[in-house]
Amino acid sequence: MKPFKILIDFCNLGFINKIFYKLMRTKFSALFIPIYKKSYKIDESIIVDNKFDSLEDFFTRKIDMTKRPEGAGKYISPCDGFISAAGKLSEDKTFKVKGHIVDTLSLTGDSESYKYYQVIYLSPSDYHRFHAIDENEFVSSKTIGKKSIPVNDKGFKIGNPFLKNYRIILKSKDYAYIPVGATNVNSIDIKKHKFLKGEEIGQFGFGSTIVILYKETPGTSKFGKIKVREDLFA
């Protein structure tokens, strides 16, 4: 793990992040789009416009939302991704991800009393814009963390990315909605704070994870692969 940790520490250097960020926005980076599509088996049939000026432009591509019908439940998925963990929080307001403890105080920086959580991982092949899970508004917003550790098994072995990585804590009266960055993914754009159910509210510059902390128990979470605007609960 030591060589991997050295690599991640190198990638977390400020000037390296800036170089990577600028490189992914250049026209030169667009040359890698065909390789990216093939490597991650991208479904091009749902892409709205297949003309992209950079790799980041492709990564933040729009998709045809008619192919993503809205669920009838109270809360719908914010993104295409994989629900890797969900359930009731423990009495000490913690939950486990990949065998590691995450406490909500460290995650959010506040002592709000949450009862239920969901963790939705976005793979490199997924659509990377994220949407409103209901009709609501964010009453507060703050950023925490500076690191960009991978949100995978190796990443958890060198440090808990949920507690170290750059993240934005968006709070409504009912839940905290938390986009979390990953390796070279410290670019999270929030577009609106008042929204309709299913509406696009932001995007990742590259990759990552969304954590939702609910103040009440909404039901029994689904697990596994999920599409944006599908019901989050069975």
Side-chain angles (χ1 to χ4, degrees):
M1 289 301 297
K2 189 172 182 180
F4 179 71
K5 185 178 185 303
I6 292 171
L7 176 62
I8 295 303
D9 287 342
F10 177 74
C11 289
N12 272 284
L13 295 173
F15 76 95
I16 295 297
N17 263 316
K18 287 179 182 178
I19 291 172
F20 182 84
Y21 182 70
K22 289 181 179 180
L23 179 62
M24 293 304 98
R25 297 178 122 196
T26 63
K27 288 186 177 180
F28 171 76
S29 69
L31 297 174
F32 295 93
I33 292 175
I35 299 172
Y36 193 96
K37 287 180 179 179
K38 185 176 181 179
S39 297
Y40 292 107
K41 300 178 181 179
I42 303 297
D43 180 4
E44 296 186 60
S45 68
I46 60 173
I47 297 175
V48 171
D49 184 354
N50 221 346
K51 296 180 181 178
F52 303 99
D53 295 327
S54 67
L55 185 55
E56 184 193 53
D57 193 25
F58 175 74
F59 197 84
T60 58
R61 61 193 177 274
K62 290 185 177 182
I63 62 173
D64 181 358
M65 281 297 158
T66 64
K67 304 288 180 67
R68 297 288 190 268
E70 185 179 301
K74 182 177 181 180
Y75 295 118
I76 57 176
S77 178
C79 58
D80 283 2
F82 189 92
I83 301 177
S84 59
K88 292 182 180 180
L89 292 168
S90 66
E91 290 186 4
D92 59 355
K93 305 304 177 186
T94 64
F95 61 92
K96 278 189 176 182
V97 179
K98 296 183 183 294
H100 294 261
I101 298 293
V102 179
D103 72 277
T104 59
L105 175 60
S106 297
L107 175 64
T108 64
D110 65 54
S111 56
E112 194 78 58
S113 182
Y114 299 107
K115 294 184 178 180
Y116 201 93
Y117 74 97
Q118 283 175 317
V119 177
I120 309 173
Y121 168 72
L122 290 76
S123 77
S125 64
D126 286 323
Y127 165 70
H128 273 77
R129 295 175 184 238
F130 46 86
H131 294 243
I133 64 173
D134 68 348
E135 182 176 350
N136 216 317
E137 65 178 312
F138 297 130
V139 296
S140 69
S141 171
K142 65 180 176 182
T143 61
I144 302 177
K146 296 180 180 180
K147 297 291 185 180
S148 54
I149 299 170
V151 187
N152 57 26
D153 292 331
K154 286 186 177 180
F156 273 92
K157 288 179 180 178
I158 63 173
N160 193 322
F162 286 9
L163 304 182
K164 293 180 178 292
N165 282 13
Y166 173 79
R167 55 200 183 274
I168 301 179
I169 316 301
L170 300 163
K171 293 174 65 176
S172 77
K173 61 182 176 62
D174 304 303
Y175 52 81
Y177 183 117
I178 310 168
V180 182
T183 308
N184 291 313
V185 192
N186 285 349
S187 173
I188 302 172
D189 179 26
I190 306 300
K191 298 182 177 180
K192 56 177 59 182
H193 285 72
K194 189 173 183 179
F195 40 81
L196 299 175
K197 187 177 182 182
E199 194 170 13
E200 181 187 331
I201 57 176
Q203 65 183 41
F204 288 106
F206 271 87
S208 206
T209 299
I210 293 175
V211 179
I212 306 171
L213 301 175
Y214 300 90
K215 293 183 179 179
E216 300 296 335
T217 301
T220 302
S221 177
K222 291 182 177 179
F223 284 87
K225 194 70 179 174
I226 196 164
K227 299 295 186 183
V228 63
R229 305 209 297 179
E230 281 186 16
D231 286 326
L232 279 171
F233 295 87

